[in-house]
Amino acid sequence: MAQNVLLTGAFGRVGTAIIDHLADKPDYNFTYLNRSDRDQYETFVADVSDREAIQPAFEDQDAVIHLAGYPETDGTWEEILKNNIIGMYNTLEAAKEAEVEKFIFGSTNHVVGMYEVENAPDIYYPDFDLMIDHTVPNRPDTYYGTSKAFGEDLGRYYLENYEFPTQFYALRIASVRHEEYDHPYGDAEHGVDRGDWERGSDEYETMVARMKSMWQSRRDLTHQMECCLTDDEVDFDVFYGVSDNDRRWFDIEHAREVIGYEPQDNGEEWDAPPE
Amino acid sequence: MAQNVLLTGAFGRVGTAIIDHLADKPDYNFTYLNRSDRDQYETFVADVSDREAIQPAFEDQDAVIHLAGYPETDGTWEEILKNNIIGMYNTLEAAKEAEVEKFIFGSTNHVVGMYEVENAPDIYYPDFDLMIDHTVPNRPDTYYGTSKAFGEDLGRYYLENYEFPTQFYALRIASVRHEEYDHPYGDAEHGVDRGDWERGSDEYETMVARMKSMWQSRRDLTHQMECCLTDDEVDFDVFYGVSDNDRRWFDIEHAREVIGYEPQDNGEEWDAPPE
């Protein structure tokens, strides 16, 4: 029987990767929750900052993939508080009330972002000797990263103290790109194809090197989501979401061992779009 | 020259211990910030959930000891959100704006409370083999504990990303008692002397055993605060606040090594008050 899966923040970069790769599979029956609708999709329109509004979307779901929230590192405290902190509480409460078993949380590398900041740009290049795993202390680089650390802790609190959810996965997703800029090309938001940086400039080369180290292709992301959707062993765990990049400094061995994550892509294949 | 120290939540259990033991020393010039005043003390009356109201109290301070917030594990989400999450943001912002160098945060054992919950009551008795240090993953047991984990992360974010504060200490304080119930007696709030449990009952014995393992005497707490106030090495660190209890499962070696914490008391001396 198909698994009922609620996708919050369905139409962002990560949500659309899941839709693109999984929506047609008979294994899953998706509900899309989003603040605004899209013509082509039936959408449960609601904001995760509104606890009552979102509750009905959780009924009869087997799993929730929680991606809704302010999605970028430039979020102000007010934006982060409302969408990511209160939004996480509301989403967990709704899942608990509706007795949803599985909760997959779209966390971020920015929970541990200072390890990057203090080592950039050297960390983006081959042979830099650092591997960050799920046991390192949190070192958030932004309100955004701090709010996702909070979300992981709150999820663990719910997991260990309430009947539902019964499984909680924190995926610290690094750099997933929009469909049109995915492999083998770059990313609109980071400025590569908006001309923010001159091709060949130092900043441009650094940006490309960063992407090669932090990229998670849309198919690897989706595969990792499926690993979580089909797993029945984990109670609480934290995994990094990156492809098997030569230059990665995020551990994927833990995800490989625990949920069978086997990424197919490598950031060395990634490149910025042509001029 | 005396150090100017702002004490938020000055009149709670921890704040009054500091006042009792340190207010008369010439080394410190305290300002008491509290939601309500006390006849005997000059008080800056303000609520940490009100950012503008608290700001003036931070001017010209060398250090802030941040204790204000909802203080118990029974806090509802709304209480914790307002007082502990928003309150922490406001306090850090105020410290940053006023260029306060040192930030000592009253965190809690409940950040890692599930290690206790899953091992109680055996964990309260001698020879139970567990030692929780500052490197274990967070496992909060309540909204309260989750909010303090957030406060630690937010403090680290400020420390590593802004000019001020320049030092941040998270003290995971376990069980500090009111003056009248301190060594060698028990604690009103936990019911020992309110007759919640019959003396000699299993629950009563468990409560006493718990206190023997988790107690931090008021003088050890105050000494630990002074270790932080006088330290000039730490940038960010996490320490447990317990006395040198035979039954403790919280590490104090890290605090001993880094800030010279040398507790004088031992929970074996602690006992519940007589009937």
Side-chain angles (χ1 to χ4, degrees):
Chain A
M1 213 171 68
Q3 197 173 10
N4 291 333
V5 182
L6 176 65
L7 197 56
T8 77
F11 305 134
R13 273 172 298 177
V14 173
T16 55
I18 295 168
I19 293 172
D20 292 346
H21 289 263
L22 296 185
D24 291 339
K25 291 184 83 164
D27 311 74
Y28 310 106
N29 176 25
F30 283 101
T31 301
Y32 304 136
L33 184 151
N34 209 70
R35 281 196 300 185
S36 55
D37 61 356
R38 300 286 158 102
D39 285 345
Q40 68 268 48
Y41 302 116
E42 188 180 335
T43 308
F44 188 102
V45 178
D47 191 310
V48 292
S49 68
D50 184 342
R51 168 83 175 76
E52 287 185 22
I54 63 172
Q55 185 67 54
F58 289 72
E59 302 305 321
D60 299 319
Q61 301 293 350
D62 300 305
V64 54
I65 300 176
H66 177 48
L67 308 170
Y70 191 89
E72 296 286 348
T73 55
D74 66 354
T76 64
W77 168 250
E78 288 71 22
E79 288 166 332
I80 294 298
L81 176 67
K82 175 184 171 189
N83 298 295
N84 296 23
I85 293 177
I86 296 171
M88 183 66 179
Y89 165 78
N90 288 340
T91 306
L92 276 163
E93 271 293 295
K96 174 177 72 109
E97 288 301 307
E99 304 190 351
V100 179
E101 298 271 357
K102 195 183 287 278
F103 197 109
I104 303 170
F105 174 46
S107 186
T108 176
N109 60 292
H110 294 283
V111 167
V112 292
M114 291 309 296
Y115 297 96
E116 177 187 350
V117 171
E118 71 179 2
N119 290 301
D122 295 351
I123 196 173
Y124 306 137
Y125 292 90
D127 304 325
F128 189 85
D129 186 26
L130 180 71
M131 191 56 70
I132 298 297
D133 73 8
H134 60 292
T135 69
V136 303
N138 292 344
R139 290 182 62 194
D141 57 8
T142 47
Y143 292 129
Y144 172 72
T146 311
S147 75
K148 295 289 189 176
F150 169 79
E152 294 181 1
D153 286 336
L154 193 68
R156 187 159 197 172
Y157 163 59
Y158 271 72
L159 189 282
E160 298 198 308
N161 286 276
Y162 298 104
E163 277 191 72
F164 297 91
T166 59
Q167 299 187 288
F168 187 96
Y169 307 75
L171 298 183
R172 292 181 179 169
I173 302 164
S175 280
V176 172
R177 309 272 54 95
H178 286 290
E179 183 72 5
E180 59 266 43
Y181 298 111
D182 200 30
H183 177 80
Y185 294 131
D187 167 34
E189 284 179 272
H190 283 76
V192 172
D193 56 353
R194 292 183 307 189
D196 287 14
W197 297 305
E198 192 184 348
R199 255 197 112 111
S201 70
D202 288 352
E203 292 80 0
Y204 178 87
E205 293 305 326
T206 300
M207 157 67 207
V208 173
R210 182 177 190 273
M211 277 302 301
K212 286 179 182 295
S213 59
M214 301 193 67
W215 186 49
Q216 186 177 35
S217 71
R218 293 167 73 87
R219 66 174 172 174
D220 283 344
L221 165 88
T222 306
H223 160 64
Q224 192 173 31
M225 288 285 172
E226 278 208 280
C227 290
C228 297
L229 286 169
T230 57
D231 167 76
D232 55 11
E233 297 288 334
V234 165
D235 50 4
F236 172 92
D237 219 329
V238 176
F239 305 105
Y240 289 94
V242 288
S243 286
D244 192 10
N245 307 327
D246 287 355
R247 308 189 191 195
R248 69 182 163 77
W249 67 87
F250 292 120
D251 169 73
I252 59 173
E253 296 311 313
H254 183 62
R256 204 189 297 271
E257 286 165 22
V258 175
I259 53 172
Y261 176 52
E262 296 290 350
Q264 301 177 62
D265 293 310
N266 183 333
E268 295 307 307
E269 302 154 23
W270 188 93
D271 200 2
E275 281 182 288
Chain B
M1 214 170 73
Q3 197 173 10
N4 290 333
V5 182
L6 176 66
L7 198 57
T8 78
F11 306 135
R13 273 173 298 178
V14 173
T16 55
I18 295 168
I19 294 172
D20 292 345
H21 289 264
L22 295 186
D24 290 339
K25 291 184 82 165
D27 311 73
Y28 310 107
N29 175 26
F30 283 101
T31 300
Y32 304 136
L33 185 152
N34 209 69
R35 282 197 299 186
S36 55
D37 61 357
R38 300 287 156 102
D39 285 343
Q40 68 270 45
Y41 302 116
E42 189 180 334
T43 308
F44 189 102
V45 178
D47 191 309
V48 293
S49 68
D50 184 342
R51 168 83 175 76
E52 287 185 24
I54 63 171
Q55 184 67 53
F58 288 72
E59 302 306 321
D60 299 319
Q61 302 292 350
D62 301 305
V64 54
I65 300 176
H66 178 46
L67 307 171
Y70 191 90
E72 296 285 347
T73 55
D74 66 355
T76 64
W77 168 250
E78 288 72 21
E79 288 166 330
I80 294 298
L81 177 66
K82 175 184 171 190
N83 298 294
N84 296 23
I85 293 178
I86 296 172
M88 184 64 180
Y89 165 78
N90 288 341
T91 306
L92 277 163
E93 273 292 295
K96 174 176 72 109
E97 288 302 306
E99 305 191 349
V100 178
E101 298 272 359
K102 194 183 286 279
F103 198 109
I104 303 170
F105 175 45
S107 185
T108 175
N109 59 293
H110 295 283
V111 167
V112 293
M114 291 310 294
Y115 297 96
E116 177 186 349
V117 170
E118 74 179 0
N119 290 300
D122 297 350
I123 196 174
Y124 306 137
Y125 293 90
D127 305 323
F128 189 85
D129 188 23
L130 180 70
M131 191 58 69
I132 299 297
D133 72 8
H134 60 293
T135 69
V136 303
N138 292 345
R139 290 182 63 194
D141 55 10
T142 47
Y143 293 129
Y144 172 72
T146 310
S147 74
K148 295 290 188 176
F150 169 79
E152 295 180 3
D153 286 337
L154 193 67
R156 187 159 197 171
Y157 163 59
Y158 271 72
L159 190 281
E160 298 198 308
N161 287 276
Y162 298 103
E163 277 191 71
F164 297 92
T166 59
Q167 300 187 286
F168 187 97
Y169 307 77
L171 298 183
R172 293 181 179 168
I173 302 165
S175 280
V176 172
R177 308 270 57 92
H178 286 290
E179 182 72 5
E180 60 266 40
Y181 299 112
D182 200 29
H183 177 81
Y185 294 130
D187 169 34
E189 282 179 273
H190 283 76
V192 172
D193 56 355
R194 292 184 308 190
D196 286 16
W197 297 304
E198 192 184 347
R199 254 197 112 114
S201 70
D202 287 352
E203 292 81 359
Y204 178 87
E205 294 305 325
T206 300
M207 159 66 207
V208 172
R210 182 176 190 274
M211 276 303 301
K212 285 179 184 295
S213 60
M214 302 193 66
W215 186 48
Q216 185 177 37
S217 70
R218 294 168 73 87
R219 66 174 173 174
D220 284 344
L221 165 87
T222 306
H223 160 64
Q224 193 173 32
M225 289 287 172
E226 278 208 280
C227 290
C228 298
L229 286 169
T230 56
D231 167 77
D232 55 11
E233 297 288 334
V234 165
D235 50 4
F236 173 92
D237 218 329
V238 176
F239 305 105
Y240 288 94
V242 287
S243 286
D244 192 9
N245 307 327
D246 287 355
R247 309 187 190 197
R248 69 182 163 77
W249 67 86
F250 292 121
D251 169 72
I252 58 173
E253 296 311 313
H254 183 63
R256 205 189 295 271
E257 285 164 23
V258 175
I259 53 170
Y261 176 53
E262 295 292 349
Q264 300 177 63
D265 293 310
N266 183 333
E268 294 306 307
E269 302 154 24
W270 188 93
D271 200 0
E275 281 183 287

